[in-house]
Amino acid sequence: MMFPFRPRYKKQIARIEVQGAIASGTRKRVLEALKEVEERKFPVLLLRIDSPGGTVGDSYEIYSALKRLQDKGCKVVASFGNISASGGVFIGVAAQHIMANPGTITGSIGVILRGNNLERLLDRVGVSFKVIKSGPYKDILSFDRELTEPEQQILQDLIDTSYEQFVQVVAEGRKLEPDAVKQFADGRIFTGEQALKLGLIDRLGTEEDARRWAAELAGLDPDKAKVFRFEEPKPLLSRVTGSRSRLQPWAKVPALQTGINWLEFELETQGMPLWLYRP
């Protein structure tokens, strides 16, 4: 059936928000939204980032999809919120233009891999494991023993390679020399104001400032251009009742919910290289 009135997406600004730690769920949602932005032919995308980063692979896929979108002719403006660090920076530098608040926490360019060693605890309770493996490194980062020196070197080489990828992407995205990026890409964090001086962002301002900038880049009237928001889908029960499920009372306590989310993320990414800032 043909509808006489179709939404005029070419006169609107698409908005996608990346919030929280970047993992498979975020990647799936953002990639689906980016596909819709391309299919509906939005002229410009406002990418709001409020994230400490996340997994290497998921961040890279979002970055690649943003670059493809721009190759199709859609402009991208990134707006850094309270925090856009590590993997948040990685996906942000895919944008042609970046704006941040003066007090935005950003940076933390680097790679981290964490493992847990419970050997002493297991000894105390009298628990041990027998491992049969095909090669000496098959159980690397096993939680019941210390890393050997060769294993540490293997993992360090892996981290170094991932770090070089990160530096190269920042250098290309911000038109800087890799050596210049390495001067501040040592894991440190800095404010939006400091990031401007380093060349990591283009302007200081709010999300509203970024929206107006996006409108201007697309040739739209900043005072009249509408924003089409790609929202994160809510659980079915929330959509029906308009509230969170009673089966999850902790969801009503933000601090507790945040702790649960971080625990889930830690379990999901155990032993994985991360582009992540977490104090």
Side-chain angles (χ1 to χ4, degrees):
M1 179 178 179
M2 297 295 292
F3 291 93
F5 301 106
R6 293 183 178 180
R8 300 181 64 187
Y9 297 120
K10 290 185 178 181
K11 298 294 184 180
Q12 297 185 50
I13 301 168
R15 180 188 184 274
I16 297 175
E17 183 170 7
V18 178
Q19 186 173 32
I22 300 169
S24 58
T26 301
R27 170 186 52 78
K28 181 178 179 181
R29 176 180 64 82
V30 173
L31 292 185
E32 289 176 351
L34 289 173
K35 184 177 180 181
E36 287 194 53
V37 171
E38 178 184 343
E39 291 175 347
R40 298 181 185 185
K41 300 187 184 302
F42 284 93
V44 64
L45 167 66
L46 176 60
L47 181 69
R48 178 68 170 181
I49 304 174
D50 207 332
S51 170
T55 58
V56 169
D58 293 312
S59 300
Y60 205 102
E61 288 200 33
I62 294 173
Y63 168 87
S64 298
L66 286 165
K67 298 296 286 186
R68 287 195 299 271
L69 180 66
Q70 290 171 96
D71 290 341
K72 297 289 185 178
C74 181
K75 296 177 173 60
V76 179
V77 176
S79 169
F80 290 178
N82 289 319
I83 180 171
S84 182
S86 207
V89 172
F90 191 94
I91 64 175
V93 297
Q96 295 163 316
H97 311 282
I98 303 176
M99 181 174 284
N101 292 311
T104 294
I105 297 300
T106 187
S108 190
I109 297 172
V111 194
I112 187 170
L113 186 153
R114 295 171 59 184
N116 298 315
N117 180 13
L118 306 181
E119 184 177 10
R120 293 175 63 184
L121 176 61
L122 294 173
D123 285 343
R124 285 189 176 185
V125 297
V127 176
S128 62
F129 294 86
K130 300 299 182 184
V131 179
I132 310 299
K133 52 189 178 180
S134 59
Y137 307 121
K138 187 59 181 174
D139 64 340
I140 197 169
L141 272 181
S142 178
F143 64 86
D144 62 331
R145 65 176 179 81
E146 285 281 358
L147 284 171
T148 65
E149 289 188 9
E151 287 174 332
Q152 290 186 40
Q153 188 58 54
I154 288 172
L155 294 176
Q156 187 62 58
D157 290 342
L158 182 151
I159 293 299
D160 291 345
T161 299
S162 183
Y163 171 75
E164 291 294 336
Q165 294 172 356
F166 201 158
V167 168
Q168 189 61 39
V169 162
V170 173
E172 290 178 359
R174 302 308 304 159
K175 296 180 174 56
L176 299 170
E177 291 296 325
D179 287 342
V181 174
K182 288 181 179 180
Q183 294 298 312
F184 57 82
D186 53 7
R188 79 182 75 175
I189 56 173
F190 28 81
T191 67
E193 189 172 3
Q194 292 171 317
L196 180 62
K197 295 177 181 178
L198 293 170
L200 191 60
I201 68 171
D202 298 297
R203 297 183 186 178
L204 295 175
T206 65
E207 182 180 354
E208 172 60 16
D209 294 327
R211 184 200 66 80
R212 296 183 68 85
W213 191 13
E216 292 169 358
L217 290 170
L220 304 176
D221 186 338
D223 295 319
K224 297 180 180 180
K226 295 182 179 180
V227 176
F228 187 97
R229 299 172 182 270
F230 288 86
E231 303 288 355
E232 184 173 2
K234 295 180 179 179
L236 177 60
L237 185 58
S238 296
R239 282 180 276 162
V240 173
T241 64
S243 62
R244 292 189 175 93
S245 171
R246 292 181 181 179
L247 299 177
Q248 298 179 340
W250 60 80
K252 299 178 181 179
V253 184
L256 184 56
Q257 182 62 53
T258 298
I260 292 173
N261 291 342
W262 271 116
L263 179 59
E264 292 177 347
F265 180 79
E266 289 281 0
L267 293 174
E268 181 182 351
T269 61
Q270 172 69 21
M272 296 175 61
L274 301 174
W275 289 328
L276 177 72
Y277 166 67
R278 189 178 181 192

